[in-house]
């Protein structure tokens, strides 16, 4: 046991290279390495996509002694849903071992002349032509300090785009402070222009560039015609690439809310992009919360995108939760365009809005993460989780609003899921959500209730 390398001995050289020591290795020894990690599956064109590193550069392959080259991949898929899975693509010749309604098992094993130079790519779809969902239940682990039962609620948009998406009114709020200069602001501009090109002529938009001051493209919302997008492109070239000054997020957010205050039959979107932090961050959250509460018939959705290590990611996550939107980030300027465009696709393809669920009468208590259910988009399924006490019913009723302003009601089947690891899938996101609330409220009571938050809150300070 003294020769086992502890994970605490390792560290990241780069975001993609992890290094650690294995002590007391003598010549001729065999070293076995087991790596476990969790990762999100990107959802694109109705497909879940898995990429696993499986390429070995020449500089890591031993020279001289010939050793057997045998590769093996075992892949188990458990979708959690009650519908059939369809395989869309695989980079390696996987052999199917077993198939059930929501489970698939594959294996690939071969003697090869040279180690692999390509990663494992795998994609599958959960087949359904229309909106569907379900609820999965599971008991907590033996050592879980929270003894309440766990549940996961999921909603899928369906594979065929038979539902009309909402008309869009979007305000892009873009940080042009000094720290954004160079590649970050250039990539933000490219992603913004790509997003504008995806709007329809009946959609409307505006752009607010901010540093210590705000600069509006137009005093009011403009239709996304070819001419207005061309003017926006010219305006961006002369305004957004001139980075200077500090960061004032409060003023442009208030302006964006005001521009979207009269929305009725569309989804109003605020798309905030920043790499900084400011002093009045908790006040910003409270002001935005007040604006959304006292707003029009349809509250703006807030989508936030953080760049780099130095912005307050808790603030951005909290704004997205308050605004029923989504948050994403990147620490690599080269990934800005890809991740921003993916986030905008989610934001701009809503098919079901204002989603609520009926709280079952037999439950003594229920806590949902996040507390407000985000809209369902063609660009992403909605997955919520939570804890409860009491008896969960066999079905759960959810309802929302469609793009034609009619009400959509769906009964979700409730099932026990003993063969899925809820703690690995959901716990990290719940910790992130609770940490944001602990940061915003500065609540000692919340930290006492969830001991895991204490270190995270202090670490941010």
């Amino acid at each position: 046991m003294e020769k086992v390398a502890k994970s605490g001995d390792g560290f990241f050289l780069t975001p993609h290279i992890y290094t650690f020591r294995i002590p007391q290795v003598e010549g001729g020894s065999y070293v076995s390495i087991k790596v476990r990690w969790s990762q999100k599956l990107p959802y694109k064109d109705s497909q879940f996509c898995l990429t696993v590193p499986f390429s070995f550069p020449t500089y890591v392959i031993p020279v001289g002694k010939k050793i057997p080259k045998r590769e093996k991949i075992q892949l188990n898929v458990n979708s959690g849903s009650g519908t059939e899975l369809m395989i869309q693509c695989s980079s390696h010749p996987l052999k199917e071992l077993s198939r059930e309604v929501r489970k698939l098992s594959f294996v690939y094993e071969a003697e090869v002349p040279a180690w692999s130079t390509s990663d494992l790519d795998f994609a599958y779809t959960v087949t359904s032509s229309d909106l569907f969902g379900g609820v999965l239940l599971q008991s907590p682990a033996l050592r879980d300090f929270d003894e309440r039962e766990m549940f996961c609620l999921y909603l899928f948009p369906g594979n065929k785009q038979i539902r009309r998406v909402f008309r869009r009114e979007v305000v892009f709020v873009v940080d042009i402070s000094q720290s954004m200069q160079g590649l970050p602001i250039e990539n933000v501009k490219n992603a913004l222009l790509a997003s504008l090109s995806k709007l329809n002529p009946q959609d409307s938009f505006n752009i607010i560039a901010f540093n210590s001051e705000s600069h509006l493209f137009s005093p009011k919302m403009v239709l996304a015609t070819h001419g207005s997008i061309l003017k926006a492109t010219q305006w961006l070239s002369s305004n957004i690439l001139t980075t200077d000054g500090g960061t004032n997020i409060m003023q442009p957010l208030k302006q964006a809310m005001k521009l979207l205050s009269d929305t009725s039959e569309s989804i109003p979107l605020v798309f905030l992009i920043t790499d900084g932090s400011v002093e009045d961050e908790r006040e910003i959250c409270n002001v935005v919360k007040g604006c959304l509460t006292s707003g029009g018939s349809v509250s703006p959705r807030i989508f936030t995108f953080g760049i780099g290590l130095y912005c307050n990611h808790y603030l951005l996550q909290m704004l997205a939760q308050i605004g029923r939107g989504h948050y994403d980030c990147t620490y690599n300027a080269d990934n800005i365009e890809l991740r921003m465009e993916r986030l905008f696709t989610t934001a701009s393809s809503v098919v079901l809005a204002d989603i609520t669920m009926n709280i079952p009468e037999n439950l003594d208590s229920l806590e949902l993460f996040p507390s407000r259910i985000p809209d369902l988009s063609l660009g992403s399924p909605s997955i919520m989780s939570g804890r409860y006490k009491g008896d969960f019913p066999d079905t759960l009723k959810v309802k929302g609003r469609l793009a034609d302003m009619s009400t959509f009601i769906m009964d979700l089947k409730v099932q026990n899921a003993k063969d899925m690891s809820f703690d690995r899938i959901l716990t990290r996101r719940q910790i992130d959500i609770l940490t944001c609330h602990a940061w915003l409220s500065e609540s000692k009571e919340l930290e006492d209730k969830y001991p895991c938050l204490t270190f995270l809150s202090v670490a941010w300070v």
Side-chain angles (χ1 to χ4, degrees), residues 284-295 322:
I284 289 172
C285 291
N286 292 325
V287 167
V288 169
K289 192 183 295 184
C291 291
L292 295 178
T293 303
S294 60
I322 293 170

Side-chain angles (χ1 to χ4, degrees), residues 268-330:
L269 306 171
V270 176
F271 206 93
L272 172 64
I273 305 108
T274 182
D275 74 337
S277 58
V278 291
E279 294 181 356
D280 56 348
E281 290 166 334
R282 290 182 176 87
E283 184 183 354
I284 289 172
C285 291
N286 292 325
V287 167
V288 169
K289 192 183 295 184
C291 291
L292 295 178
T293 303
S294 60
S297 58
V298 182
S299 298
R301 279 28 175 182
I302 300 177
F303 288 74
T304 58
F305 189 82
I307 300 172
L309 294 168
Y310 300 108
C311 65
N312 188 342
H313 293 275
Y314 291 154
L315 166 68
L316 299 183
Q317 290 180 68
M318 199 67 242
L319 286 174
Q321 290 179 42
I322 293 170
R324 235 173 181 166
H326 292 271
Y327 149 86
D328 198 5
C329 68
T330 182

Side-chain angles (χ1 to χ4, degrees), residues 205-219:
F205 75 96
N206 208 332
I207 306 169
I208 303 175
F210 72 93
N211 40 37
S212 53
E213 300 178 348
S214 295
H215 311 272
L216 275 73
F217 166 64
S218 172

Side-chain angles (χ1 to χ4, degrees), residues 10-20:
F11 59 92
F12 282 97
L13 281 177
T14 74
H16 300 285
I17 298 179
Y18 184 79
T19 180
F20 59 94

